[in-house]
Amino acid sequence: MTVTVDADPGPFELDVATTALVIIDMQRDFCEPGGFGETLGNDVSLLRGVIPPLQRVLAAARALGMTVVHTREGHVPDLSDCPPAKLHRGSPSLRIGDPGPKGRILVRGEYGHDIVDELAPVEGELVVDKPGKGSFHGTSFGAELAARGITRLVVTGVTTEVCVHTTVREANDRGYECLVLSDCVGSYFPEFQRVGLAMIAAQGGIFGWVAPSAALLTALPVTALEGTPS
Ligand code: C5J
């Protein structure tokens, strides 16, 4: 079933059978107080606005049986997959691996590393743990997509200018067509949100398309979904 989404810089066609919904790093460590995002001095409440529209898109994807992939940024407990270039970057109040109020910062298996309750994965959905900003680097993401015959990605999550951008650029280089949902991606910096989205669709869609989630939901053959916030 192929649908056309009204997007920037032009229509984005997708077949629900060969398109995956990708939800990047909607983890407590980025979206809730006491995690990695806050240790870097950010106002994490700025990211929480993406949760309600993302819940509606996730409900539609589930209703249609689309492939859903959740990613989580983080590291193994001994931090052997965290290069010094990342570990020592900046001057956060707590570094990756330090104990924080939600467990060790950005470490796999810790409470803060997991996905927020509102978007918790259900059985059958893929969860890809990634040590870097991009979803392809050091993961099975590409192999999992290939195994399912996925050629297009609807990309959501946080943060727009870091892990969303890196993943979309990696995906574009590997031949995937990507639609980024503007209200389902978030940044701690309003100007990065605006410019980050503009960069994707500029120059005829230099590495993707951008549309609000309403444009996708209008195109998909799903009516109002019970239990989802409107
Ligand atoms: C960051 C991410 N911003 N998920 N990670 O460090 O965008």
Side-chain angles (χ1 to χ4, degrees):
M1 175 205 321
T2 301
V3 301
T4 303
V5 182
D6 186 12
D8 188 20
F12 182 85
E13 287 197 349
L14 66 87
D15 177 352
V16 298
T18 55
T19 302
L21 172 64
V22 182
I23 305 177
I24 296 181
D25 302 357
M26 288 302 295
Q27 297 159 256
R28 299 186 183 104
D29 256 322
F30 294 107
C31 302
E32 294 183 2
F36 185 57
E38 195 176 71
T39 70
L40 293 167
N42 298 305
D43 173 4
V44 294
S45 69
L46 285 167
L47 301 191
R48 299 197 60 82
V50 310
I51 294 176
L54 193 36
Q55 283 181 295
R56 291 192 284 276
V57 170
L58 179 57
R62 285 173 177 165
L64 292 167
M66 285 176 68
T67 296
V68 176
V69 188
H70 304 257
T71 72
R72 296 184 298 202
E73 180 179 347
H75 299 279
V76 293
D78 67 3
L79 305 187
S80 55
D81 59 353
C82 184
K86 181 174 183 181
L87 187 58
H88 302 306
R89 184 68 50 81
S91 47
S93 55
L94 293 173
R95 288 205 182 271
I96 294 169
D98 286 349
K102 291 191 186 319
R104 292 179 67 203
I105 300 289
L106 227 57
V107 169
R108 294 182 193 173
E110 301 287 341
Y111 182 74
H113 174 263
D114 213 348
I115 292 165
V116 296
D117 292 338
E118 296 92 328
L119 299 166
V122 298
E123 201 179 329
E125 294 176 351
L126 280 168
V127 179
V128 171
D129 283 320
K130 62 187 185 60
K133 306 304 185 195
S135 299
F136 290 86
H137 169 69
T139 74
S140 60
F141 185 55
E144 299 279 11
L145 296 178
R148 289 163 177 76
I150 299 297
T151 60
R152 295 189 164 224
L153 309 178
V154 173
V155 184
T156 64
V158 298
T159 62
T160 307
E161 74 281 10
V162 185
C163 292
V164 171
H165 249 236
T166 308
T167 295
V168 172
R169 289 167 192 247
E170 285 183 319
N172 183 70
D173 283 348
R174 287 165 173 78
Y176 294 93
E177 306 281 24
C178 297
L179 172 66
V180 177
L181 298 183
S182 52
D183 51 337
C184 294
V185 294
S187 173
Y188 301 118
F189 304 92
E191 69 271 35
F192 291 173
Q193 172 78 359
R194 183 180 59 76
V195 174
L197 290 171
M199 287 168 71
I200 294 167
Q203 304 173 78
I206 191 75
F207 51 91
W209 283 255
V210 176
S213 60
L216 174 68
L217 294 173
T218 300
L220 291 175
V222 283
T223 46
L225 294 157
E226 272 180 41
T228 57
S230 55

